[in-house]
């Protein structure tokens, strides 16, 4: 079995960020690889840049030799090369993509002019479809050649996906492909059904025999923003929050029909929020489109894991989930995990709790001093774990550097996700530990109260330190661990709730 | 091994090592040393040994107190809440100095008694047994994991993983 994840548009990229952290934390059901690709015309999108950064860091340090039988870094990610498929080309507008000049005087040209305003036709698509699914669906249909019924699409990213899935199926595996995007914006709304059709057509016989199953995480509206000042967006096409619900309604009607008529997806997960978070920063796209992580992204990433862990014959057409208290999110509101390696159902609190402690312990105990220790500027006797495991590790190695970048990104993500839900409390972690997004102002005194509702599992920083310094038994599982990986494994094990 | 059991063994180890040092001193060395020190005096060796026993108990208790003080501080008192302010070698050194001074002072004060005439060699032997072995070696061997390399040279003596 292999897992495939296709992120579509900015919302897809945000879900991908949550999924990266979940895979590093060992929330996936087994040790199979996760193949990831991305679809976005706005290649400079801030959300994409952020999730790509975490993913690329993970891609490097996931190879640290941590030994066996640990959920930590268990799911290895493999990124498509090139990672992002851009359905438009640089500096092209809708007119260019649709070859409007060639059909200008023909009836189809007249129809085209009636369907799209001049602004929609002539706006450059470098920053995506700007919340207009009508533009996105036209571009996607053109690029994917839906009109001829070929459903073919060129590009190395697609060839990569196709080859991987074919290889999997040949070896008798089931390829589980999960697509994610918003259905109220531009790229996701246009891309989800189109990409699903391409995949269905490409792997037609495999889909019939359930060798390839396709799932989708549909992101429904969960945020809103005020209309920008007229002079700010003069002459531009941009996303308008007031259209989100109308777009969503139309999309849901479409998917309702699609379930009956063409069975695009083996399983669909719809996730949104009845209370819309207000975003103060308006952006038409590109690097300035960088929205904070949100619990909705996290839910969709968990939906992907649910899709990967559910037996094929038990996949549901549509799934829904809710949270118990109207004014709070708690650990019990998230779905359970299935660990196929141990045939157990670890709860998310246990697995994420240990991982969160592991990251915070690294940030509080190791990161501030590692460089200085390696340079010999601080005496090693003060840090027994350094003398025992890290003295010979190069602190400037890509593995260490990328892990250090990653842990900071993880804390920023966690801080945003647990802080940014309007009118509801995120009762998951004690937010007081993060006195700023900058990890250098973390409060180590909060460690023993870090995981909310985890009284039996919370561990003080002092306890983590002791466990890390105590003699470790030469267990079989860590025998082959070495270097930085061995240290990370021991730190992770030291953060276990016992 | 359970951490409480380990703690009990470590405390027992400290007490045991110092007690063995005292036993070696009393049963192995006291007689011959005493004879050397009382040569030319009217003191009988049995009286000297009897007085020396009291001195030895005081020196042993000073050594135990300082060694256990370091153990208790590093095991139960020093709490780590960040990666700074760890190690505590200065405190270990201060206790070490207190131990040496304590051992020397006790030896000097107890030997004011005319019956208990002692020589310079006894000071050296007491320091070796109750400071070097009694404090230094026990702290190297039994300091809790969180501070296991704090005693000077412990990282060279202890086997690293």
């Amino acid at each position: 079995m292999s897992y495939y994840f296709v992120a579509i548009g900015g919302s897809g990229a945000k879900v991908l960020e949550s999924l990266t952290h979940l895979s590093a934390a060992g929330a996936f059901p087994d040790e199979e690889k996760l193949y990831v690709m991305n679809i976005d015309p706005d290649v400079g999108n801030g959300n994409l840049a952020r999730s790509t950064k975490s993913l690329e860091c993970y891609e490097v340090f996931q190879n640290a030799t941590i030994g066996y039988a640990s959920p930590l870094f268990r799911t290895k990610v493999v990124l498509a090369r090139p990672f992002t498929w851009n359905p438009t080309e640089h500096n092209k507008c809708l007119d260019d993509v649709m070859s409007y000049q060639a059909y200008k005087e023909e009836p189809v040209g007249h129809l085209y002019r009636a369907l799209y305003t001049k602004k929609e036709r002539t706006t450059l698509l470098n920053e995506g479809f700007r919340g207009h699914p009508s533009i996105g669906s036209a571009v996607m249909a053109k690029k994917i050649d839906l009109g001829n019924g070929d459903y073919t699409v060129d590009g190395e990213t697609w060839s990569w996906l196709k080859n991987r899935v074919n290889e999997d199926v040949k070896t008798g595996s089931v390829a589980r492909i999960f697509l994610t995007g918003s259905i109220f914006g531009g790229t996701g709304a246009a891309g989800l059904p189109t990409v699903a059709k391409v995949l269905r057509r490409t792997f037609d016989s495999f889909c019939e025999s359930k060798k390839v199953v396709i799932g989708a995480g549909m992101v429904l509206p969960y945020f809103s923003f005020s209309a920008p000042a007229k002079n700010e967006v003069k002459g531009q096409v941009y996303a308008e929050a007031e259209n989100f619900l109308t777009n969503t309604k139309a999309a849901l009607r479409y998917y309702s029909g699609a379930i009956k008529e063409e069975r695009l997806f083996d399983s669909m997960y719809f996730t949104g929020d009845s209370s819309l978070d207000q975003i103060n920063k308006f952006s038409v796209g590109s690097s300035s489109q960088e929205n904070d992580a949100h619990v909705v992204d996290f839910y969709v990433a968990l939906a992907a894991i649910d899709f990967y862990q559910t037996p094929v014959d038990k996949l549901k057409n549509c799934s829904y989930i809710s949270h118990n208290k109207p004014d709070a999110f708690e650990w019990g509101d998230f779905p359970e995990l299935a660990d196929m390696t141990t045939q157990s159902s670890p709860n998310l609190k246990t697995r994420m709790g240990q991982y969160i402690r592991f990251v915070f312990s690294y940030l509080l105990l190791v990161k501030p001093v590692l460089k200085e220790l390696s340079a010999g500027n601080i005496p090693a006797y003060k840090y027994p774990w350094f003398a025992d495991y890290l003295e010979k590790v190069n602190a400037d190695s890509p593995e260490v550097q990328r892990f250090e970048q990653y842990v900071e990104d993880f804390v920023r993500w966690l801080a945003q996700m647990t802080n940014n839900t309007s009118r509801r409390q995120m009762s998951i972690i004690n937010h007081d530990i993060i006195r700023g997004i900058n990890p250098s102002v973390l409060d180590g005194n909060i460690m023993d109260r870090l995981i909310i509702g985890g009284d039996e599992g919370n561990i003080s920083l002092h306890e983590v330190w002791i466990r890390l310094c105590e003699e470790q038994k030469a267990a079989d599982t860590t025998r082959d661990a070495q270097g930085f990986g061995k240290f990370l494994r021991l730190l992770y094990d030291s953060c276990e709730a016992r | 091994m359970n951490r409480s059991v380990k703690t009990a063994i470590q405390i027992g180890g400290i007490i045991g090592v110092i007690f063995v040092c005292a036993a070696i001193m009393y049963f192995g060395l006291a007689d011959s040393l005493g004879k050397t020190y009382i040569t030319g005096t009217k003191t009988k060796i049995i009286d000297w040994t009897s007085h020396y026993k009291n001195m030895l108990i005081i020196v042993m208790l000073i050594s135990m107190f300082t060694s256990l003080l370091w153990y208790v501080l590093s095991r139960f008192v020093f709490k780590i809440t960040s990666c700074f302010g760890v190690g505590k070698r200065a405190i270990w050194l201060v206790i070490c100095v207190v131990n040496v001074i304590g051992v020397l002072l006790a030896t000097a004060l107890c030997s004011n008694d005319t019956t208990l005439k002692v020589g310079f060699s006894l000071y050296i032997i007491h320091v070796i047994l109750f400071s070097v072995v009694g404090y230094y070696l026990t702290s190297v061997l039994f300091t809790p994991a969180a501070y296991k390399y704090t005693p000077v040279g412990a990282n060279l003596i202890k086997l690293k993983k």
Side-chain angles (χ1 to χ4, degrees):
Chain A
M1 191 140 34
S2 289
Y3 308 127
Y4 294 83
F5 186 83
V6 182
I8 306 173
S11 300
K14 286 182 70 202
V15 174
L16 178 57
E17 188 182 21
S18 292
L19 195 72
T20 304
H21 299 311
L22 283 166
S23 58
F28 273 59
D30 50 31
E31 294 173 6
E32 295 297 337
K33 286 180 177 164
L34 172 68
Y35 297 96
V36 186
M37 71 171 268
N38 182 63
I39 296 173
D40 204 332
D42 182 6
V43 287
N45 176 336
N47 294 327
L48 178 61
R50 209 173 61 198
S51 57
T52 309
K53 190 177 155 216
S54 292
L55 201 54
E56 284 176 348
C57 286
Y58 181 47
E59 197 189 20
V60 174
F61 68 76
Q62 68 179 348
N63 296 318
T65 44
I66 62 154
Y68 302 104
S70 172
L72 182 67
F73 310 155
R74 187 170 63 181
T75 302
K76 308 293 182 208
V77 296
V78 181
L79 307 190
R81 300 276 184 238
F83 180 59
T84 299
W85 178 65
N86 179 354
T88 64
E89 289 158 44
H90 190 60
N91 280 347
K92 298 275 182 190
C93 62
L94 188 60
D95 278 355
D96 300 328
V97 176
M98 305 305 286
S99 309
Y100 169 65
Q101 291 303 325
Y103 301 101
K104 196 174 173 181
E105 302 305 329
E106 294 182 27
V108 71
H110 299 312
L111 176 63
Y112 172 71
R113 277 201 303 278
L115 291 172
Y116 295 96
T117 64
K118 189 164 187 192
K119 245 194 293 185
E120 286 176 322
R121 283 168 29 219
T122 54
T123 296
L124 291 180
L125 300 176
N126 295 341
E127 286 162 335
F129 304 135
R130 297 163 184 251
H132 285 231
S134 53
I135 301 177
S137 52
V139 172
M140 290 279 188
K142 179 76 179 173
K143 283 288 168 184
I144 292 176
D145 214 359
L146 288 179
N148 294 335
D150 287 346
Y151 294 86
T152 53
V153 53
D154 294 327
E156 286 175 61
T157 311
W158 284 100
S159 309
W160 173 88
L161 180 73
K162 206 168 153 181
N163 293 339
R164 292 279 177 187
V165 172
N166 279 327
E167 273 173 34
D168 265 343
V169 175
K170 269 183 207 160
T171 56
S173 292
V174 176
R176 292 168 180 259
I177 308 173
F178 195 81
L179 316 178
T180 296
S182 72
I183 61 170
F184 60 91
T187 310
L192 270 167
T194 318
V195 172
K197 276 180 192 165
V198 171
L199 294 173
R200 281 269 161 211
R201 186 59 64 97
T202 308
F203 305 115
D204 196 19
S205 58
F206 297 148
C207 287
E208 286 300 315
S209 58
K210 298 286 181 198
K211 291 281 182 194
V212 172
V213 284
I214 303 171
M218 318 278 191
V219 183
L220 308 181
Y222 62 93
F223 67 86
S224 181
F225 49 81
S226 310
K230 281 266 159 63
N231 57 352
E232 198 182 329
V233 288
K234 197 175 176 187
Q236 290 193 60
V237 177
Y238 56 90
E240 290 167 84
E242 62 199 37
N243 293 337
F244 283 174
L245 291 177
T246 321
N247 291 351
T248 305
K249 196 174 170 186
L252 288 176
R253 190 174 293 137
Y254 166 78
Y255 285 113
S256 165
I259 291 170
K260 291 171 198 151
E261 288 159 23
E262 43 189 339
R263 196 170 169 78
L264 281 180
F265 300 105
D266 295 283
S267 193
M268 287 189 278
Y269 299 79
F270 294 90
T271 315
D273 200 344
S274 51
S275 125
L276 304 181
D277 269 350
Q278 192 66 26
I279 290 176
N280 297 323
K281 195 175 68 176
F282 173 80
S283 165
V284 289
S286 199
S287 58
S288 62
Q289 192 193 339
E290 189 178 350
N291 305 325
D292 284 356
H294 195 280
V295 70
V296 164
D297 310 330
F298 189 59
Y299 264 113
V300 182
L302 286 167
I305 290 176
D306 186 75
F307 173 73
Y308 296 140
Q309 72 189 16
T310 305
V312 172
D313 55 344
K314 289 188 178 159
L315 284 171
K316 291 176 186 164
N317 271 346
C318 292
S319 298
Y320 66 89
I321 196 162
S322 59
H323 59 110
N324 281 326
K325 294 182 183 169
D327 56 348
F329 283 103
E330 296 172 331
W331 284 107
D333 293 324
F334 299 114
E336 285 215 332
L337 305 174
D339 192 328
M340 290 173 191
T341 320
T342 57
Q343 295 294 319
S344 59
S345 302
N347 66 37
L348 189 72
K349 185 176 82 180
T350 309
R351 194 141 286 180
M352 279 303 280
Q354 185 174 355
Y355 188 70
I356 291 168
R357 279 193 293 273
F358 160 71
V359 169
F360 277 93
S361 298
Y362 188 90
L363 279 166
L364 287 158
L365 296 178
V366 185
K367 189 174 181 290
V369 289
L370 185 58
K371 272 225 165 97
E372 293 293 298
L373 276 166
S374 292
N377 298 333
I378 303 179
Y381 78 84
K382 291 182 172 185
Y383 303 89
W385 42 262
F386 176 81
D388 286 342
Y389 307 109
L390 292 173
E391 213 153 28
K392 290 174 188 154
V393 170
N394 176 9
D396 293 320
S397 68
E399 208 172 60
V400 178
Q401 293 295 306
R402 291 303 185 103
F403 182 72
E404 298 212 329
Q405 282 174 24
Y406 168 84
V407 286
E408 291 204 359
D409 285 344
F410 178 84
V411 171
R412 182 202 30 78
W413 168 80
L414 191 66
Q416 290 175 352
M417 189 185 71
T418 53
N419 197 29
N420 182 25
T421 304
S422 64
R423 294 180 290 280
R424 272 168 306 189
Q425 204 184 342
M426 287 293 286
S427 300
I428 294 173
I429 65 155
N430 189 334
H431 208 272
D432 292 344
I433 196 168
I434 311 163
R435 288 185 291 192
I437 298 300
N438 186 345
S440 64
V441 286
L442 295 177
D443 187 350
N445 292 303
I446 310 284
M447 268 294 279
D448 55 0
R449 288 168 280 143
L450 178 60
I451 306 298
I452 293 178
D455 300 338
E456 73 285 357
N458 276 321
I459 303 166
S460 68
L461 211 54
H462 182 70
E463 176 64 22
V464 174
W465 181 286
I466 291 175
R467 288 183 187 179
L468 198 54
C469 298
E470 277 175 340
E471 301 285 327
Q472 303 284 337
K473 282 182 188 166
D476 281 349
T477 50
T478 56
R479 202 173 45 206
D480 292 334
Q482 50 181 295
F484 188 58
K486 184 172 187 178
F487 174 73
L488 291 183
R489 171 65 185 273
L490 291 169
L491 181 60
Y492 179 75
D493 289 350
S494 300
C495 295
E496 189 185 351
R498 301 178 213 162
Chain B
M1 190 193 294
N2 178 315
R3 206 177 287 161
S4 305
V5 174
K6 211 173 189 176
T7 302
I9 290 172
Q10 287 171 331
I11 291 174
I14 293 168
I15 294 170
V17 167
I18 296 170
F19 195 79
V20 166
C21 287
I24 290 169
M25 191 66 210
Y26 185 73
F27 295 110
L29 299 170
D31 204 47
S32 55
L33 281 171
K35 280 175 184 164
T36 315
Y37 299 144
I38 60 173
T39 307
T41 65
K42 289 176 184 171
T43 312
K44 289 179 182 167
I45 187 68
I46 195 160
D47 294 333
W48 187 92
T49 314
S50 166
H51 280 84
Y52 176 68
K53 190 179 170 186
N54 296 334
M55 177 202 274
L56 195 60
I57 288 169
I58 293 168
V59 172
M60 183 182 77
L61 288 176
I62 288 170
S63 183
M64 271 184 196
F65 173 76
T66 50
S67 299
L68 289 173
L69 176 66
W70 166 248
Y71 185 85
V72 168
L73 288 175
S74 56
R75 171 73 179 83
F76 301 106
V77 178
F78 300 146
K79 296 287 178 198
I80 290 157
T81 55
S82 87
C83 58
F84 301 106
V86 292
K88 310 285 186 195
R89 185 169 275 177
I91 293 173
W92 178 84
L93 276 170
V94 167
I95 298 173
C96 184
V97 170
V98 168
N99 170 290
V100 174
I101 292 171
V103 167
L104 292 174
L105 262 179
T107 309
L109 291 174
C110 292
S111 62
N112 276 342
D113 184 347
T114 49
T115 319
L116 194 60
K117 190 171 164 48
V118 301
F120 181 68
S121 56
L122 191 73
Y123 289 89
I124 302 291
I125 293 169
H126 275 183
V127 167
I128 290 172
L129 285 177
F130 297 103
S131 298
V132 177
V133 177
Y135 180 77
Y136 176 73
L137 198 64
T138 56
S139 65
V140 166
L141 295 177
F142 302 119
T143 292
Y147 295 93
K148 61 183 174 182
Y149 297 136
T150 294
V152 178
N155 53 335
L156 303 172
I157 295 165
K158 283 195 151 185
L159 261 183
K160 285 189 197 174
K161 286 173 269 288

